[in-house]
Amino acid sequence: MLRPGLKSIWAVLLTAVVLLSAGLPVHARPGFFNRDVGTGAKPLPSSTPSGKLQEVAPPGAVQQLRQELQRHRPSLRLVDPSNDTIVATQELELSFEINDWPLNNDPELGLGPHVAIQIDDRSPLRLSDSDGNRLTVRIDDLEAGSHRFSAWAAYPWGEAVQSPGASIQGRVHLWQKLQGTQPDRDAPWLVPVPPAGEQGLQPLLVDWLLWNAPLQNLREGDGRWRLRISIDGDSFLVDHQEALWLKGSNGASSHDIQMELLNGLGEPITPVFNNQLVHLKAPSGSKPGWMRSRLNESQLARLSGSPEPEMPETVEQPKEALQKAEQPPQQAPVEIEAETETETETETETETETETETEAEAEAKTDPIAPENSDHETPQSPQAQDQATTEASQPTPAQEEPTDNDLPMNTSENNPPMTDKPTESFEPQAQAEAKLMPSSSLGGSARELLNSDGRLRKP
């Protein structure tokens, strides 16, 4: 049992301890997201890009490729060595297995879907060649001690695929572990994701991975972390993990992108791992395929690693060949009809000429042939006229109708006129009869005194 004097001494000492300890500050351990902050504190609000920065839509080719690749669900897994193991070798070899991701690198359009691997704060290594679904990378310039790595399935422009299983992180130790040189197992740490090629192409891709970050914004005032992004002096705050496309700043020159992980009150969280700077060099050379405003079907297939579609020309060539082969038969009836029409016209013209000649000959035969008369016509007796008519009605050898085979093609040139022959045959006969017949210019009763032979009648 303590004496009364000792009790008073202990009471004074305890009072002094309480009074002295009230003014000492309380430090949160690294990575703590201030879950014990008083209810009166409000989380820092997010903000949008400001100043020279402006958020814009990604290039047209990026939108096409994203739509083409969204049917894939990449799955990445570390095969060798196991996570958080010690490797007793100077050369580190990491093996990964990738599934459902069409790795590709086109010689003209550039890098396609690939896998990016980043060790510590080094620039990412981009792999597009695989042995089946196995990827292997060798690194021979690492220092002894502990190292962290991240690996992710990446789009052609470098953005990390955010679907579950598309990214992994781990630790590896060369020769032995070094405590305090890497984030704790459950501590948050930031990984900037630069664009493919690490060039300051406009618009700028701003992307990142955040490991071990708690969920937030599930209810009002539930802000647990913020990411402050500064590009060439212009800063803004984001509270969700989503890639951004920004335009402005220094145009076509180089760019410096700084990323800082903060708690809900805007205080830095373990800056040694969560305050990162990415330098993008000035663009040079030709632009990659994903920076184009639009890709055709062939370019889209080549850059996305999809099978190339059949070209329209390949499908149309057989049809064109068939059309060309069918064209001559279609023209042949036209030529035959033209020849038939020509022959018909020729035959019609020939028949017309033949009919014309036949009609001309018929008219020549039927026309009366007038004998040549002398200057003084001598009247003939009725008997002489009857005899002449009878003789004219009988056919003569010159007047016989020729057969079809004897008809000349041109009667006007080859034969003399048909009227000459009858004239020659009738002329001598008419002259002989004229000599026998009496002629007189007397009329009335004097004519009755003569006989028919011209002699004077006897009384």
Side-chain angles (χ1 to χ4, degrees), residues 150-281:
S150 299
W152 60 89
Y155 292 105
W157 53 94
E159 179 185 344
V161 179
Q162 297 291 344
S163 60
S167 57
I168 58 174
Q169 57 91 14
R171 307 290 194 279
V172 64
H173 312 280
L174 263 64
W175 305 107
Q176 74 175 50
K177 293 182 181 181
L178 289 180
Q179 296 296 333
T181 60
Q182 298 296 329
D184 295 339
R185 182 179 295 274
D186 297 328
W189 56 288
L190 174 68
V191 178
V193 178
E198 286 78 40
Q199 295 187 9
L201 297 168
Q202 296 272 357
L204 290 172
L205 169 66
V206 180
D207 191 21
W208 65 91
L209 290 174
L210 185 57
W211 298 107
N212 300 329
L215 296 176
Q216 63 176 359
N217 299 328
L218 300 178
R219 62 181 183 274
E220 186 178 356
D222 185 27
R224 311 290 291 276
W225 61 268
R226 297 290 185 267
L227 184 66
R228 181 160 55 201
I229 301 174
S230 302
I231 302 177
D232 302 327
D234 295 324
S235 301
F236 57 96
L237 290 172
V238 296
D239 58 359
H240 59 281
Q241 191 168 343
E242 183 179 355
L244 302 173
W245 291 89
L246 303 176
K247 190 173 183 180
S249 190
N250 294 332
S253 63
S254 61
H255 301 279
D256 294 323
I257 302 177
Q258 183 183 4
M259 298 182 183
E260 301 173 84
L261 183 61
L262 311 174
N263 62 16
L265 299 178
E267 300 172 344
I269 300 175
T270 56
V272 65
F273 304 117
N274 297 314
N275 190 357
Q276 303 289 336
L277 179 65
V278 176
H279 176 73
L280 300 178
K281 57 188 176 181

Side-chain angles (χ1 to χ4, degrees), residues 311-325:
M311 298 301 292
E313 292 79 6
T314 305
V315 178
E316 291 178 359
Q317 283 179 356
K319 295 181 180 179
E320 294 177 359
L322 291 174
Q323 291 177 358
K324 291 181 180 179

Side-chain angles (χ1 to χ4, degrees), residues 35 51 69 140 148 152 164 209 344 385:
R35 287 185 290 265
L69 293 170
D140 56 4
R148 68 186 183 277
W152 60 89
L209 290 174
T344 305
Q385 290 179 358

Side-chain angles (χ1 to χ4, degrees), residues 38 81 145 185 215 293 372 429-430 448:
R185 182 179 295 274
L215 296 176
S293 59
E372 294 181 358
Q429 185 176 2
E448 295 175 354

